[in-house]
Amino acid sequence: MPRTILPVKLHEQLTVTVDDIRIDGMGIVQITPTYPLYVADALPGEKIVIAVTQVDKFSGYARVVTRLTVSDQRENSQRQYLIDAGTAPLVNMKYQAQLDLKRTQVQRLLAQQGLDVPVAPTIGMADPTYYRNKTIVPVKWQDGHLTSGFYRRGTHDLVPMTDYFVNDAKIDQAIVVVRDILEKYQVTAFDPDQQVGAIRYIMVRRGYYSHELMVVLVSNDPTIPNEAAIIADVQAALPELKSFIFNLSPKKDFVLLSPNNRTLWGEAAIHDTLLGYEFIIGPNSFYQVNPQTTEVLYDLAAQKADLKPTDTIIDAYSGIGTIGITVANRVKQVLGVEVVPGAVADAQYNMRRNQITNATYLLADAPEQFKVWEQANLKPEVVFVDPPRRGLTTELIRATVEMGPTRIVYISCNPVTMARDAAEIVQQGYTIDGAVQPVDQFPQTSHVETITVFKKNSLSQQAVE
């Protein structure tokens, strides 16, 4: 077999112009039409000197050595550590440029699927900083101290951080407090090289309106020493603390957070409000991380759904019931389905707490439950889907289409899978109704939320097609 000759060499330095930005926020430099290099903190149009750091047959990575020309979209945040860790890859890009980029990327992904549909300007935030109501950060003993931060891209070297820039500032403060108390008692931290040690992560959640604080110690080991003293110190140091949880999540299970929770102090959950409704939020609850734009997102999704008092709606991937509960007063009936037992229990609790009497939440796998509903001849007017990043399955799309809802409202945190699924839904007899709407739930990062509404084609239209 002939040896593959690559167009670049490891450690080679090149003078290049940045062509584009990848969906993950990395700059793209096309060395040849088919061989890109990916470069962190590189904006389109910038002329830079780069050093090649990694190569394979199809692409490579490089770092910026010198910036010869600077984009007018660049704005130095003085937070290079966020670039190093990859947690906020767009932090040096002006905010309006971030919004424009996300719209362009959604347009491009839809076009790649053969969908010629308008995409509205991205809805952003007045202040796109310190917005997250939850974070989960790794800890590691490093240079003689228990360190919190994020791992440098592709390494086991922890980049120390005290200011994460995107978290609620009270969350950042809580991380440092808890970390220092764990250091005081010499609690071991999980070492990814040695594969031993106790604490893997510190997770903190804070209610945007309630200001209730939850701290979760995610541990590789079933116990930690000096537990009673640690509980007392954390309680004394964090006046907003409402819930202190120990989560046993061994690294061998390959999950961030397991369902195995033990309450160390206080309540098993915290509360917050969304669009005037109160929700219980546990350690494992799916609850949107940007409470300010979530209210915009859900209210806009409900408006675009064109809900009527006679409608039966389905809330697929219903989580703790946030979407269904916030629209229940506009419709006849809400049916929610979720595969996580704890989330269903929380949704049922939230329904009762908010005095919602026209909603039902079921524990089931959404595609299987959709088949059951379809066989029972259920005919919902509207189906809301808000899936995880992997998007919808073909099975769920087909089951949805079989029920024949007039409208499907697709809320997505991943435009790649949304565009893929949109093409399949259109093939199944639906049309994208109006513009796709990006909402910037994740400023400073490459992620974006979208709302896409699908309207069922008329019989005459389907016959023509």
Side-chain angles (χ1 to χ4, degrees):
M1 177 179 286
R3 181 180 175 187
T4 300
I5 300 176
L6 301 180
V8 294
K9 296 177 182 177
L10 194 62
H11 309 307
E12 180 180 3
Q13 290 200 5
L14 303 164
T15 300
V16 297
T17 299
V18 183
D19 295 296
D20 204 345
I21 293 185
R22 198 165 65 162
I23 194 72
D24 65 354
M26 299 279 279
I28 303 174
V29 174
Q30 289 293 158
I31 300 301
T32 73
T34 59
Y35 196 93
L37 287 179
Y38 303 120
V39 189
D41 196 23
L43 302 185
E46 291 187 328
K47 188 176 182 181
I48 55 178
V49 178
I50 58 173
V52 180
T53 58
Q54 183 180 330
V55 294
D56 63 29
K57 289 194 295 186
F58 306 106
S59 63
Y61 288 84
R63 61 177 177 84
V64 177
V65 176
T66 307
R67 222 175 292 277
L68 302 177
T69 62
V70 176
S71 168
D72 60 4
Q73 303 301 333
R74 177 172 292 279
E75 185 173 68
N76 192 346
S77 68
Q78 307 297 328
R79 289 178 170 84
Q80 199 63 28
Y81 59 92
L82 298 174
I83 298 288
D84 293 342
T87 55
L90 303 183
V91 71
N92 286 336
M93 191 178 204
K94 291 178 181 177
Y95 188 52
Q96 185 57 52
Q98 293 183 34
L99 299 179
D100 294 343
L101 171 68
K102 292 179 182 187
R103 181 192 190 188
T104 299
Q105 289 179 330
V106 172
Q107 288 173 321
R108 183 181 302 162
L109 289 164
L110 290 164
Q112 287 171 358
Q113 295 291 339
L115 298 171
D116 181 16
V117 294
V119 178
T122 307
I123 296 172
M125 299 183 70
D127 180 4
T129 64
Y130 302 106
Y131 58 86
R132 284 182 64 100
N133 59 14
K134 170 195 169 184
T135 194
I136 178 166
V137 301
V139 293
K140 182 183 180 185
W141 281 92
Q142 199 164 268
D143 300 324
H145 290 281
L146 189 60
T147 305
S148 55
F150 280 100
Y151 286 103
R152 194 179 306 276
R153 294 174 189 266
T155 75
H156 288 164
D157 176 30
L158 200 69
V159 179
M161 293 186 199
T162 55
D163 176 3
Y164 295 77
F165 197 51
V166 295
N167 296 335
D168 180 328
K170 290 290 186 76
I171 288 179
D172 285 355
Q173 293 165 18
I175 292 166
V176 173
V177 165
V178 174
R179 179 202 69 193
D180 289 351
I181 290 170
L182 294 174
E183 177 179 291
K184 171 185 172 181
Y185 291 100
Q186 295 291 294
V187 177
T188 61
F190 183 77
D191 187 309
D193 295 313
Q194 303 297 324
Q195 295 286 300
V196 294
I199 302 301
R200 296 178 61 202
Y201 305 101
I202 299 170
M203 186 181 99
V204 183
R205 306 187 90 140
R206 184 174 186 259
Y208 179 71
Y209 292 104
S210 70
H211 296 171
E212 293 180 1
L213 195 70
M214 169 185 284
V215 173
V216 181
L217 302 180
V218 183
S219 179
N220 185 62
D221 295 344
T223 60
I224 55 173
N226 301 300
E227 187 177 282
I230 290 169
I231 292 169
D233 283 7
V234 171
Q235 181 190 355
L238 296 174
E240 291 185 343
L241 188 68
K242 181 81 171 181
S243 174
F244 192 15
I245 306 288
F246 183 89
N247 179 271
L248 177 59
S249 184
K251 177 64 171 66
K252 63 180 176 60
D253 294 345
F254 295 104
V255 293
L256 280 178
L257 215 67
S258 81
N260 191 350
N261 296 300
R262 176 167 58 90
T263 303
L264 299 175
W265 179 88
E267 306 296 327
I270 60 174
H271 298 81
D272 206 13
T273 54
L274 179 68
L275 293 170
Y277 295 89
E278 187 173 319
F279 291 92
I280 188 171
I281 307 163
N284 305 90
S285 297
F286 172 75
Y287 191 76
Q288 294 276 9
V289 298
N290 188 334
Q292 298 170 69
T293 52
T294 296
E295 294 195 316
V296 174
L297 178 78
Y298 285 178
D299 192 48
L300 192 57
Q303 290 178 38
K304 287 179 172 291
D306 191 24
L307 300 172
K308 297 177 176 59
T310 54
D311 284 350
T312 291
I313 73 159
I314 289 177
D315 179 9
Y317 306 98
S318 55
I320 63 173
T322 45
I323 294 175
I325 287 170
T326 56
V327 301
N329 67 345
R330 310 187 197 191
V331 300
K332 178 184 177 183
Q333 183 183 24
V334 175
L335 298 172
V337 58
E338 170 61 57
V339 75
V340 179
V344 176
D346 287 348
Q348 292 168 343
Y349 171 90
N350 291 328
M351 182 184 71
R352 294 190 298 271
R353 190 175 185 91
N354 290 287
Q355 299 181 328
I356 302 297
T357 58
N358 62 335
T360 303
Y361 287 94
L362 302 175
L363 175 62
D365 180 55
E368 291 302 317
Q369 184 59 43
F370 272 45
K371 284 183 186 176
V372 172
W373 280 330
E374 190 269 326
Q375 289 167 3
N377 203 34
L378 178 68
K379 299 294 181 185
E381 282 73 27
V382 181
V383 172
F384 286 89
V385 289
D386 186 5
R389 291 189 60 77
R390 63 180 177 271
L392 303 176
T393 64
T394 294
E395 186 182 20
L396 186 133
I397 291 172
R398 287 176 179 168
T400 302
V401 169
E402 286 297 318
M403 286 189 289
T406 306
R407 298 173 297 287
I408 301 169
V409 181
Y410 190 157
I411 300 171
S412 169
C413 61
N414 184 352
V416 175
T417 52
M418 178 278 292
R420 176 203 69 198
D421 296 343
E424 188 169 350
I425 294 169
V426 166
Q427 289 171 0
Q428 297 287 334
Y430 283 77
T431 302
I432 295 177
D433 187 18
V436 174
Q437 179 63 68
V439 179
D440 193 22
Q441 287 275 80
F442 318 100
Q444 319 307 329
T445 81
S446 59
H447 302 296
V448 66
E449 203 93 4
T450 55
I451 306 170
T452 309
V453 180
F454 300 87
K455 183 171 63 177
K456 187 179 181 183
N457 296 338
S458 64
L459 289 176
S460 58
Q461 184 179 355
Q462 292 181 51
V464 170
E465 293 173 351

